Amino acid sequence: MAEITVKPDQALERILTLELVRVTERAAVASAALRGRGDEKAADKAAVDAMRRELNRLPIAGRIVIGEGERDEAPMLFIGEELGTGKGPAVDIAVDPLEGTTLCAKNMPGSIAVMAMAEGGTMLYAPDVYMDKIAIGPGYAQGTIDIDASPADNIHSLAKAKGVKPHEITALILDRPRHAAIIEAVRKTGASVQLILDGDVAGVIDTTNPDETGVDIYLGTGGAPEGVLAAAALRCIGGQMFTRLILDTEEKRERANKMGVSDPKKIYTIHDMVQGDCLFAATGVTTGNLLKGVKYRGEVVETQTVVMRSASGTVRWISAEHRDLSKFHLG
């Protein structure tokens, strides 16, 4: 297959319109072929292989900042891996080839193939630890939410900012025992709670379009790498997100320090996690609040992708019909 070539000053725009979409489409279709089979590892490997193959075709000098883990834990898409043709801009890359592996394996709603790309040296190297998170979509004044405020205070503040009563607010929270107190506190305000089993990147993104998803706010703890990916999406459209790494052991603090985290109590904003021009793309694997899943229709495969760019605030929704199925290497 011919190598992609673009002028350096056009690379990000060109990737935004087509190439970035192709990366997540390939990963989504590869993993969707294994939906409902109960094999999380196989579905994840299919997505990883497809995403890496397509990334290596891009005209970039890319480096994985958020990936499948450290080099000794992940043979591909490991942190620090260099990808692309090398003939283009230096970029940081954050990937989750299959966010919601359990959801895909059980053929449940909300799994996606997702990645973000930013100018080189502008994306947070987040250690693989938990992170406290609170996020809302665009259109609210700064100070509407506060990571140090109680769940009830945040619900009341958001309801006031939105001009509604608390019972008209919906909070999305990962269904985990550790969130029992948060769930109870939110419900006591009269607000609704939507629980998800997995996939907190998609969960945070849901706050960007509450009219469509019904989600106003994300609360709780989840993976720090996923937090950076979600921040990239919010960076593109002006949402708000505040996070804090949970470094509750000496081993975690040492690991974070090696990755450049000098203040273990630092509150990170979107702009702390992703700076400069950034791109974000996600393709649905199984149908969720925001994206339709991959659909096989005879000799045609249908996908739906959302792709965003921070410099312009552009959000594109791309519904595609694929007829050349050989490009997906489905065997």
Side-chain angles (χ1 to χ4, degrees):
M1 187 174 290
E3 181 181 284
I4 300 167
T5 57
V6 297
K7 295 179 181 179
D9 62 345
Q10 296 176 338
L12 288 183
E13 181 62 27
R14 176 74 184 272
I15 290 169
L16 171 64
T17 56
L18 283 176
E19 276 74 14
L20 201 70
V21 174
R22 289 186 180 122
V23 174
T24 56
E25 284 178 344
R26 300 297 196 273
V29 171
S31 54
L34 295 168
R35 287 181 301 206
R37 307 294 177 84
D39 193 336
E40 297 180 15
K41 290 184 178 180
D44 188 58
K45 183 179 186 303
V48 169
D49 289 346
M51 183 169 278
R52 184 176 184 271
R53 184 166 53 241
E54 196 66 21
L55 279 169
N56 271 326
R57 295 187 61 243
L58 296 188
I60 56 172
R63 181 182 295 272
I64 296 290
V65 173
I66 301 293
E68 292 291 281
E70 301 293 335
R71 184 168 188 167
D72 58 353
E73 299 172 356
M76 292 188 292
L77 298 182
F78 56 83
I79 296 171
E81 183 176 5
E82 296 181 355
L83 297 169
T85 66
K87 300 176 182 178
V91 295
D92 290 346
I93 300 171
V95 301
D96 196 339
L98 179 57
E99 205 240 349
T101 53
T102 300
L103 300 177
C104 179
K106 294 182 177 181
N107 205 5
M108 297 175 67
S111 61
I112 59 175
V114 59
M115 69 167 294
M117 185 178 292
E119 298 171 65
T122 64
M123 195 174 281
L124 176 68
Y125 275 75
D128 190 8
V129 298
Y130 280 127
M131 171 185 268
D132 279 324
K133 306 173 189 177
I134 182 170
I136 55 175
Y140 296 104
Q142 289 295 321
T144 298
I145 55 173
D146 182 348
I147 196 171
D148 287 326
S150 69
D153 286 345
N154 278 308
I155 295 295
H156 285 291
S157 178
L158 179 59
K160 181 179 180 181
K162 191 175 181 180
V164 300
K165 300 295 184 182
H167 72 266
E168 296 178 71
I169 296 293
T170 296
L172 190 143
I173 303 171
L174 272 172
D175 190 5
R176 299 289 188 272
R178 65 178 182 270
H179 290 150
I182 295 176
I183 293 168
E184 181 182 4
V186 169
R187 285 175 172 162
K188 281 185 176 179
T189 68
S192 173
V193 172
Q194 181 177 330
L195 296 173
I196 55 172
L197 297 178
D198 202 356
D200 65 340
V201 175
V204 172
I205 298 170
D206 281 349
T207 68
T208 66
N209 191 1
D211 291 339
E212 183 70 26
T213 66
V215 174
D216 297 292
I217 185 170
Y218 178 93
L219 292 165
T221 63
E226 290 82 357
V228 176
L229 270 164
L234 294 186
R235 175 93 166 80
C236 292
I237 56 175
Q240 296 180 47
M241 186 176 184
F242 300 93
T243 69
R244 182 189 286 115
L245 296 170
I246 300 176
L247 304 173
D248 50 5
T249 69
E250 187 59 33
E251 185 273 333
K252 291 177 183 177
R253 287 188 287 272
E254 289 179 1
R255 183 148 45 95
N257 187 62
K258 289 179 181 178
M259 298 180 75
V261 178
S262 57
D263 181 2
K265 296 182 179 180
K266 178 179 174 66
I267 295 174
Y268 293 90
T269 67
I270 290 170
H271 298 280
D272 292 319
M273 291 186 278
V274 184
Q275 304 171 37
D277 191 8
C278 79
L279 313 166
F280 175 91
T283 301
V285 177
T286 58
T287 297
N289 284 342
L290 203 62
L291 290 164
K292 295 178 181 178
V294 175
K295 183 178 181 179
Y296 296 94
R297 182 168 54 82
E299 297 300 312
V300 175
V301 173
E302 298 178 2
T303 58
Q304 186 179 43
T305 302
V306 59
V307 60
M308 312 175 186
R309 187 182 186 191
S310 66
S312 60
T314 303
V315 178
R316 290 184 172 92
W317 297 87
I318 300 176
S319 294
E321 294 183 352
H322 307 272
R323 290 174 172 80
D324 176 13
L325 303 188
S326 64
K327 66 188 180 183
F328 294 115
H329 300 270
L330 296 175

